[in-house]
Amino acid sequence: MSRKILRKAIDKAYGARRLLASKELKAISAYSMGSFLALENLHSLALDVVGRKIQGDFVECGVFNGGSAAAAACAIRPSDRKLWLYDSFEGMPETTAPDGPAAADFVGECVGDEAKVHAAMRLARFSEERYVIRKGWFQDTFTAGPMPDSIAFLHIDADWYDSVQFAL
C-alpha cells in the first residue's frame, strides 16, 4: 500500500472521529460556561492523556452544570477510568483578601445544578458508575470520603485563591 493511500485512509478516519466529537461537544456546550473552543481544547488534552497511557483517573474541581466534565468524559469513554467531580452546587464561596474587594459581589453566583451534570454525562454517553460527584466545598470534600487513588488529569475551574489552593 502506498504512503499516499495510507495517509488518505488515516485522514479520513481521523476526520470522522473529529466530526463525531464536534457533534457531541456542540450538544454538551449548553452545559458549560466556557466557549466551544475551550471544550475542544479540554477534550483534546484528555485524549492526549489517554493516548499517552498516563495512569490515573480524571478530576474536575468546579463542575457547574457538567459541560467540561462531559467533554473529558467523551475522551475517556473507551478507557476504564473514572471521573471525579467536585462542586458545592451552592455557587461561588466566600472570598478572602487575595481575591480583592470586588470578588465579594460574586459570592453565591454561578450555582450549578447536579441534575444538569447527570444530563450532560448522558449526552456524553458516560455511565453513572464511571463518575463520582463529590458535593460540598473543596476544603470539606478533599479531606473526607472516597478519593481517587491516582490522578492523570486535573482540571481546576475555581475562581478564588483559596479554592485553587485547596485543589492543588
Side-chain angles (χ1 to χ4, degrees):
M1 178 182 274
S2 77
R3 287 181 159 236
K4 188 175 181 180
I5 293 171
L6 181 59
R7 171 53 58 198
K8 274 182 127 175
I10 290 170
D11 288 346
K12 185 176 180 181
Y14 177 76
R17 243 187 357 259
R18 184 166 169 81
L19 181 61
L20 174 62
S22 290
K23 285 182 180 179
E24 287 180 316
L25 293 179
K26 282 180 184 165
I28 289 165
S29 68
Y31 295 89
S32 176
M33 290 178 72
S35 69
F36 182 73
L37 180 59
L39 290 178
E40 280 188 316
N41 286 336
L42 186 66
H43 181 261
S44 293
L45 290 169
L47 281 174
D48 185 61
V49 169
V50 171
R52 292 172 188 256
K53 296 180 176 38
I54 298 169
Q55 296 301 306
D57 290 334
F58 282 52
V59 174
E60 178 160 273
C61 301
V63 177
F64 185 58
N65 289 330
S68 295
C74 287
I76 68 171
R77 191 172 44 222
S79 73
D80 62 350
R81 299 167 192 257
K82 280 183 112 167
L83 189 53
W84 296 77
L85 308 175
Y86 293 84
D87 200 296
S88 69
F89 297 101
E90 294 181 35
M92 309 265 268
E94 292 294 324
T95 61
T96 57
D99 302 316
D105 294 341
F106 297 96
V107 171
E109 296 294 318
C110 304
V111 178
D113 183 341
E114 203 171 340
K116 289 182 179 178
V117 174
H118 289 291
M121 298 306 268
R122 282 191 299 274
L123 279 174
R125 296 179 285 130
F126 202 72
S127 164
E128 272 193 59
E129 293 79 39
R130 303 249 333 262
Y131 65 94
V132 178
I133 295 177
R134 297 296 315 278
K135 184 176 181 177
W137 301 111
F138 293 166
Q139 65 268 26
D140 300 328
T141 55
F142 291 161
T143 58
M147 300 274 296
D149 292 330
S150 63
I151 299 171
F153 187 92
L154 173 62
H155 179 231
I156 302 173
D157 190 356
D159 297 283
W160 305 145
Y161 179 84
D162 282 351
S163 299
V164 172
Q165 291 302 307
F166 285 125
L168 293 173

